[in-house]
Amino acid sequence: MLSAKLRAALDNLLPDAGEDEAYLGTPTLRDAAVLIAFTDRPDPGVILTQRPQWLRSHAGQVAFPGGKIDPDDRDAIDAALREAEEEIGLSPRDVMVAGVTEPYRSGSGYIITPVLGVIPPDLPLDPNPDEVEDWFEVPLDILFDPANYQRQQAHWQGQDRHYYDMDWQGRRIWGVTAGIIINLARRMPTDWHR
C-alpha cells in the first residue's frame, strides 16, 4: 500500500540540509501548511493546483493545496486538509495522512509545513474558482526527479534570489513549490514507492 511505503520513507529520510528562502532574512514568518497529495496508483502522481491569473499575489502560479494555519486549526495537518477541501473539494476522509516533513521558510513571509498524504486515484475534484483556476496530476517520477529542474537566479525587490524551475506540459513549476519538492526528493530513499 502506498501510504505504508510513504510512512516508511518518511521514517528513513536521507540527511540533507535542504534549501529554502531563509537567506532573504524575512523578519516575521506566519505558519502555513500545504498538502502533498500522492495518488494511490501503480505509477503514483501528485496533485498540484494552478492559481487564477486575476489574484493579487502569486497569480497564475502552480502550488500545492494549502494556506495559512488558522487559529481554529489544531495543527498543520488540520490546516492542510481544510485548505485542500476549500480549494479543490478534497474531503479529509479521502486523505490517508502519512506525516509531515521539515518546514520551508518562504521569502513571502511564511514557514510552510508540508503534509504528505495518499488519496485514491481519479477523485472528482471540484476547484473553487475563487482560489484555484485548475488542478492537475504530475507523475511522481517526473515531479520528484531533481534532474528535471533548473536552478535559476533573479534580482527581485533589491535582492538576488535563487529558485528551481521546471516546465511540465506547459505548466511552470517553480519557486516555493519547486523548492519543497526538491528538498523532499533529495531526502526520499531511492525508489521508495516501488
Side-chain angles (χ1 to χ4, degrees), residues 87-168:
E87 291 181 12
I88 58 174
L90 176 59
S91 172
R93 292 185 314 271
D94 289 326
V95 182
M96 187 169 296
V97 174
V100 301
T101 190
E102 287 77 19
Y104 185 98
R105 292 163 293 190
S106 78
S108 57
Y110 291 95
I111 184 161
I112 305 162
T113 300
V115 176
L116 284 65
V118 177
I119 64 171
D122 307 316
L123 287 174
L125 301 176
D126 183 24
N128 175 347
D130 291 334
E131 298 189 53
V132 174
E133 183 174 296
D134 196 12
W135 68 271
F136 57 100
E137 181 179 347
V138 182
L140 177 64
D141 289 338
I142 292 172
L143 189 68
F144 274 65
D145 183 351
N148 290 330
Y149 293 82
Q150 293 184 345
R151 187 172 165 88
Q152 305 286 352
Q153 181 173 328
H155 194 76
W156 187 68
Q157 293 186 340
Q159 291 186 297
D160 286 328
R161 299 183 77 152
H162 311 285
Y163 60 93
Y164 288 93
D165 199 333
M166 175 179 110
D167 181 77
W168 184 75

Side-chain angles (χ1 to χ4, degrees), residues 6-181:
L6 185 54
R7 278 192 197 97
L10 285 174
D11 287 342
N12 293 291
L13 290 177
L14 303 171
D16 188 305
E19 298 177 60
D20 60 17
E21 297 174 339
Y23 67 90
L24 295 172
T26 307
T28 305
L29 296 174
R30 295 166 286 176
D31 291 322
V34 295
L35 178 65
I36 304 178
F38 295 83
T39 53
D40 194 1
R41 58 174 93 239
D43 291 318
V46 175
I47 301 298
L48 292 171
T49 66
Q50 180 105 34
R51 295 171 56 84
Q53 294 293 338
W54 52 264
L55 289 177
R56 280 193 353 252
S57 65
H58 308 293
Q61 288 187 2
V62 168
F64 294 110
K68 291 185 290 190
I69 297 178
D70 288 344
D72 293 341
D73 295 323
R74 289 187 307 271
D75 53 23
I77 293 171
D78 198 39
L81 294 176
R82 175 185 52 75
E83 287 282 348
E85 185 169 34
E86 290 173 8
E87 291 181 12
I88 58 174
L90 176 59
S91 172
R93 292 185 314 271
D94 289 326
V95 182
M96 187 169 296
V97 174
V100 301
T101 190
E102 287 77 19
Y104 185 98
R105 292 163 293 190
S106 78
S108 57
Y110 291 95
I111 184 161
I112 305 162
T113 300
V115 176
L116 284 65
V118 177
I119 64 171
D122 307 316
L123 287 174
L125 301 176
D126 183 24
N128 175 347
D130 291 334
E131 298 189 53
V132 174
E133 183 174 296
D134 196 12
W135 68 271
F136 57 100
E137 181 179 347
V138 182
L140 177 64
D141 289 338
I142 292 172
L143 189 68
F144 274 65
D145 183 351
N148 290 330
Y149 293 82
Q150 293 184 345
R151 187 172 165 88
Q152 305 286 352
Q153 181 173 328
H155 194 76
W156 187 68
Q157 293 186 340
Q159 291 186 297
D160 286 328
R161 299 183 77 152
H162 311 285
Y163 60 93
Y164 288 93
D165 199 333
M166 175 179 110
D167 181 77
W168 184 75
Q169 297 187 347
R171 297 188 194 258
R172 184 179 183 210
I173 302 166
W174 69 288
V176 170
T177 301
I180 289 171
I181 294 165

